Structures are given as structure tokens and as C-alpha cells.
């Protein structure tokens, strides 16, 4: 059932990886890996606890081992990447290399924060785990409003070409609608790697409007370059619910067999049945405005994958939320199937 859509997933991954790999990931904060603390003391905190607080507040970070900690021009620098602060999960004892770095950092006023409690062999600033995000908020290059714990943000920079922002809504039930505040300036585009489409997006005062359904991703590019043949990302204004009778067919032995005509789409299947279902609906004339510029079909509760035809024309398939299909080019006046 799912295999025909597998190629679409691979194409999505290939396009996304192609773009993200062209940009250098930039994170404002580094988090020290906790292995040495776990080996050398009785009291220690897993780095995952710090990571969760930072992730839920869209503060990106890299996890670093103590061996790579080095100050260059008073800044923590690793492989050309610079960090504005180092977070060390609470521990009873800090390893020799990390302790030496902390002493150097204190001498040049580079910020190092110990989460919840500091080690006995190093003096430093202790911050409550739940207060980490507030302390580090001013160091990030991106700000999301309103607050949402399940939005993840990846920021990459390509010298001379601009910035990329990859957002993902990890929630399986909660949508997000708000704005992404960035420090970059230029023309803004939203790229859809699933459908391989790109649209212009307004960047007003460093703020990008964002709408993310559960489990949906978004990729924004901010650059001075002009990308030709791009349209403004359409805004959906009016909606219409498809309330009426659906013709249901089940695929058996390679063919669809009529099953039921019903107004309800929930609870119609036999217990233990698995397979492909065909839903057919006749949309009466006048359901939508005849002069609509953009028509989208949204299926809110698809279980796995979906394919859509409109008036006999193949519209496309979707393998993940949001299950939205553009019907504009297949739509006609009057009735539509």
C-alpha cells in the first residue's frame, strides 16, 4: 500500500539534504557532552535535559566533547564555527580539559553556565535548568512568536548567498500560526521540497509569517538573489465543508469493489481490514466561488497516504500531513468529481 509513495519520500529527502548541505549550520550555543561527568562523580545531569529546554525555546546548539573546547579571540571556536556560550550539565566533578577551558573562559569573560549545580573543582555561574532559555534568549538569531514547544528550527548560512531556515512541527496534534523573527535581510522564499515548488514570502521588518500543521516542515531562504518565475505564496481565505454522501469502494484483487454509500467517513470499516479505500464525492455547482484563483482540498484525518483525482485528472499524492492538494488546474465551473 505504501510502497508506491516511497519514491516521493526519497525525493523529498534528497532535495532537503541537497539544500541544507550547501549551508553551514550555525548554532549560538554549545552543550558539553556529559560522558566524563558520568564516569567521575556520583551526581551528574544528562545533557538531554539541557537540550530539551533549549529545543523547546528554539535555541539551537551543538553538542561538543571536552577535547575540542578552544578559545580563539576570546570566543569558543570549533572547525570555524563560533559559539556565544557554553552550557555544562550539572556535575560533581569536571574533567581536566573542560576545567582548564572554564578557567580560561572566566579570564576573558566568555560565558559558561552550569545547569542546576556546579562541580567542586571549578568556579562558575550556576543557572537553574528551567532558567536556561531566559539566560540564552538574546544569543539566538531566530525568535518564534507565539511560544510553541514543538517547533524545531535549523539555521544555516552560506557566505555571499544568504540564509536558510528549516522549521519542523514535531507535534502530532497542535498546529502553529505565527511569525519567525530573523536577523537576516533580503528577499524571502518558501521552498516546498515535497512538491518541488518555490514561492515568494513577505519579509516585513525581519519577520516571516509561518503556518505549520502537525508534523509539517517549512524551508525558508533569505537572500539578495532574485529567483525567477516565483509566485507569492497564496493565502487561503474562504472554506467549504464537503457535507453529503460519499461513495466508498475497497480495492480487492487489484480492482475497486463498491462497498457503501454514506455521509459518515468514520467507523465504516470492518474490524481487522487493511488496504486501499476509494472515496468519491460529487461537489455541487456553486460550492465555491467561480472566480477563485486558488482551490485547495484539505483532508484532515488521512491514516497513511492519499492520492487525489479531480474530474479524472490526477492531482497528486501525499505521504504526510498536511494532506493538501491543489485542484486549481483541474477545477471546472459547475459540478466537480
Amino acid at each position: 500500500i505504501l510502497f508506491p509513495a516511497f519514491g516521493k519520500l526519497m525525493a523529498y529527502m534528497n532535495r532537503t539534504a541537497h539544500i541544507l548541505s550547501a549551508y553551514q549550520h550555525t548554532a549560538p550555543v554549545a552543550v558539553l557532552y556529559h560522558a566524563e561527568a558520568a564516569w567521575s562523580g556520583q551526581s551528574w545531569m544528562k545533557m538531554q535535559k539541557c537540550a530539551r529546554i533549549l529545543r523547546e525555546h528554539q535555541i539551537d546548539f551543538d553538542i561538543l566533547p571536552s577535547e575540542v573546547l578552544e578559545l580563539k579571540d576570546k570566543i569558543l571556536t570549533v572547525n570555524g564555527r563560533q559559539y556565544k556560550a557554553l552550557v555544562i550539565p550539572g556535575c560533581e566533578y569536571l574533567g581536566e580539559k573542560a576545567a582548564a577551558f572554564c578557567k580560561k573562559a572566566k579570564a576573558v569573560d566568555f560565558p559558561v553556565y552550569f545547569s542546576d549545580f556546579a562541580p567542586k573543582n571549578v568556579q562558575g555561574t550556576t543557572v537553574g535548568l528551567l532558567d536556561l532559555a531566559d539566560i540564552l534568549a538574546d544569543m539566538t538569531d531566530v525568535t518564534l512568536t507565539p511560544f510553541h514547544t514543538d517547533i524545531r528550527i535549523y539555521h544555516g548560512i552560506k557566505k555571499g548567498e544568504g540564509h536558510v531556515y528549516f522549521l519542523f512541527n514535531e507535534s502530532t496534534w497542535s498546529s502553529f500560526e505565527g511569525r519567525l523573527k530573523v536577523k537576516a535581510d533580503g528577499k524571502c522564499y518558501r521552498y516546498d521540497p515535497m512538491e518541488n515548488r518555490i514561492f515568494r514570502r513577505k519579509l516585513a521588518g525581519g519577520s516571516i509569517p509561518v503556518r505549520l500543521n502537525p508534523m509539517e516542515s517549512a524551508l525558508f531562504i533569505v537572500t539578495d538573489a532574485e529567483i525567477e518565475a516565483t509566485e507569492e505564496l497564496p493565502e487561503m481565505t474562504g472554506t467549504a465543508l464537503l457535507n453529503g454522501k460519499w461513495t466508498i469502494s475497497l480495492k480487492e484483487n487489484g480492482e475497486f469493489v463498491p462497498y457503501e454509500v454514506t455521509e459518515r467517513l468514520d467507523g465504516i470499516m470492518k474490524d481487522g481490514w487493511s488496504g486501499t479505500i476509494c472515496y468519491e464525492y460529487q461537489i455541487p455547482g456553486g460550492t465555491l466561488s467561480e472566480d477563485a484563483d486558488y482551490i485547495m482540498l484539505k483532508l484532515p484525518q488521512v491514516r497513511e497516504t492519499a492520492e487525489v483525482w479531480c474530474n479524472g485528472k490526477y492531482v497528486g499524492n501525499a505521504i504526510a500531513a498536511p494532506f493538501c492538494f491543489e485542484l486549481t488546474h483541474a477545477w471546472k465551473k459547475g459540478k466537480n468529481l
Side-chain angles (χ1 to χ4, degrees):
I1 298 172
L2 301 179
F3 189 76
F6 183 73
K8 186 166 188 173
L9 174 63
M10 295 299 100
Y12 163 81
M13 293 176 63
N14 188 48
R15 295 181 189 121
T16 304
H18 176 76
I19 290 179
L20 295 182
S21 62
Y23 292 77
Q24 178 172 291
H25 175 229
T26 174
V29 176
V31 177
L32 183 66
Y33 184 49
H34 63 238
E36 290 180 341
W39 298 332
S40 59
Q42 294 181 350
S43 299
W44 59 282
M45 176 188 290
K46 289 185 177 180
M47 65 178 183
Q48 289 94 319
K49 291 189 175 182
C50 300
R52 178 174 180 174
I53 294 297
L54 299 180
R55 283 295 194 202
E56 289 182 348
H57 291 79
Q58 291 80 47
I59 300 174
D60 204 358
F61 60 89
D62 285 331
I63 298 170
L64 303 180
S66 59
E67 290 83 359
V68 301
L69 298 179
E70 184 179 354
L71 288 171
K72 291 184 179 179
D73 297 326
K74 301 181 181 181
I75 299 175
L76 173 57
T77 306
V78 180
N79 291 334
R81 291 170 170 79
Q82 295 184 333
Y83 304 92
K84 300 175 183 178
L86 173 66
V87 173
I88 299 180
C91 57
E92 183 179 359
Y93 183 83
L94 200 59
E96 182 179 344
K97 292 183 179 179
F101 174 84
C102 290
K103 292 176 183 178
K104 293 179 181 178
K106 185 177 181 180
V108 297
D109 293 326
F110 178 82
V112 176
Y113 300 105
F114 294 97
S115 179
D116 271 1
F117 59 98
K120 298 176 181 178
N121 62 324
V122 174
Q123 292 183 343
T125 303
T126 303
V127 177
L129 177 63
L130 299 180
D131 297 325
L132 268 178
D134 291 335
I135 296 293
L136 301 171
D138 292 338
M139 297 185 181
T140 183
D141 292 330
V142 296
T143 306
L144 198 68
T145 54
F147 176 71
H148 197 295
T149 60
D150 292 322
I151 305 298
R152 306 292 174 253
I153 301 179
Y154 176 100
H155 178 202
I157 298 177
K158 190 174 183 180
K159 190 174 182 180
E161 295 196 24
H163 301 251
V164 63
Y165 302 92
F166 185 66
L167 284 69
F168 179 64
N169 184 1
E170 285 192 345
S171 174
T172 58
W173 62 273
S174 175
S175 297
F176 171 82
E177 185 167 359
R179 304 191 75 86
L180 176 68
K181 182 77 173 180
V182 301
K183 293 183 179 180
D185 191 22
K187 300 177 180 65
C188 182
Y189 303 90
R190 177 167 178 169
Y191 175 62
D192 179 3
M194 188 69 77
E195 302 297 336
N196 195 26
R197 300 180 302 178
I198 190 165
F199 298 95
R200 292 193 306 273
R201 202 68 167 112
K202 293 180 180 178
L203 178 61
S207 180
I208 306 171
V210 178
R211 182 186 293 114
L212 287 174
N213 291 281
M215 304 302 291
E216 183 182 8
S217 64
L219 198 156
F220 296 97
I221 299 172
V222 178
T223 176
D224 290 331
E226 182 75 37
I227 300 178
E228 297 180 358
T230 54
E231 301 176 356
E232 190 74 30
L233 184 66
E235 295 289 345
M236 304 307 294
T237 52
T239 60
L241 295 176
L242 302 183
N243 293 320
K245 292 185 177 181
W246 292 78
T247 301
I248 310 298
S249 303
L250 307 183
K251 196 170 188 178
E252 297 179 0
N253 299 321
E255 295 183 358
F256 283 104
V257 178
Y259 176 73
E260 186 176 356
V261 177
T262 178
E263 293 183 0
R264 291 186 58 188
L265 296 182
D266 59 321
I268 64 173
M269 301 313 304
K270 306 172 186 176
D271 290 340
W273 188 88
S274 178
T276 303
I277 310 172
C278 177
Y279 304 83
E280 290 182 275
Y281 186 86
Q282 184 83 42
I283 302 177
T287 302
L288 296 177
S289 173
E290 297 288 357
D291 58 352
D293 295 325
Y294 196 74
I295 300 174
M296 179 75 74
L297 173 67
K298 182 178 182 180
L299 309 177
Q301 293 179 321
V302 174
R303 185 66 178 269
E304 297 291 353
T305 67
E307 291 185 289
V308 172
W309 285 259
C310 181
N311 300 320
K313 297 180 180 179
Y314 184 68
V315 175
N317 67 345
I319 62 175
F323 291 92
C324 296
F325 303 84
E326 184 184 351
L327 306 182
T328 310
H329 301 297
W331 197 261
K332 62 183 182 180
K333 292 183 179 180
K335 296 179 180 180
N336 286 268
L337 179 65

